[in-house]
Amino acid sequence: NEQEPFWAASLKLYPNPTAAVMFIELPVVCDRLVVTDGLGRMLMERNPSASSFELSLTQLPAGSYYLRLHSSTGIVVRMINKQ
């Protein structure tokens, strides 16, 4: 099991759960984000190249998903919930 990168504790995802848009803030630049379902199927991929941005979940049905945030220093995975 890999250790999370140093910035994982400073990661902010809100609101969670959300009905539409989630705001993401981290202390490093996010090069890539991936949203997957519980079976690991990729549902969304973005390349924000920013440290704060919005993620629209309007096209996803209500449920729980995994958000993978990639930076040059590592990957963090968090569960997100769409209402």
Side-chain angles (χ1 to χ4, degrees):
N1 194 10
E2 290 185 34
Q3 187 174 3
E4 289 190 327
F6 70 92
W7 52 267
S10 302
L11 172 63
K12 295 179 184 161
L13 303 170
Y14 59 92
N16 190 14
T18 185
V21 174
M22 180 169 286
F23 298 93
I24 301 171
E25 298 177 11
L26 48 158
V28 296
V29 171
C30 179
D31 301 315
R32 179 176 180 240
L33 73 81
V34 176
V35 176
T36 61
D37 65 14
L39 299 175
R41 293 178 294 208
M42 185 188 304
L43 304 174
M44 188 184 314
E45 181 178 24
R46 300 284 184 273
N47 300 97
S49 298
S51 59
S52 65
F53 48 92
E54 299 176 11
L55 178 64
S56 174
L57 300 175
T58 54
Q59 72 276 24
L60 297 177
S64 295
Y65 301 94
Y66 291 99
L67 174 66
R68 296 174 58 91
L69 298 165
H70 299 247
S71 82
S72 60
T73 56
I75 300 170
V76 171
V77 180
R78 293 287 184 268
M79 182 168 278
I80 57 174
N81 296 289
K82 165 82 187 306
Q83 293 176 324

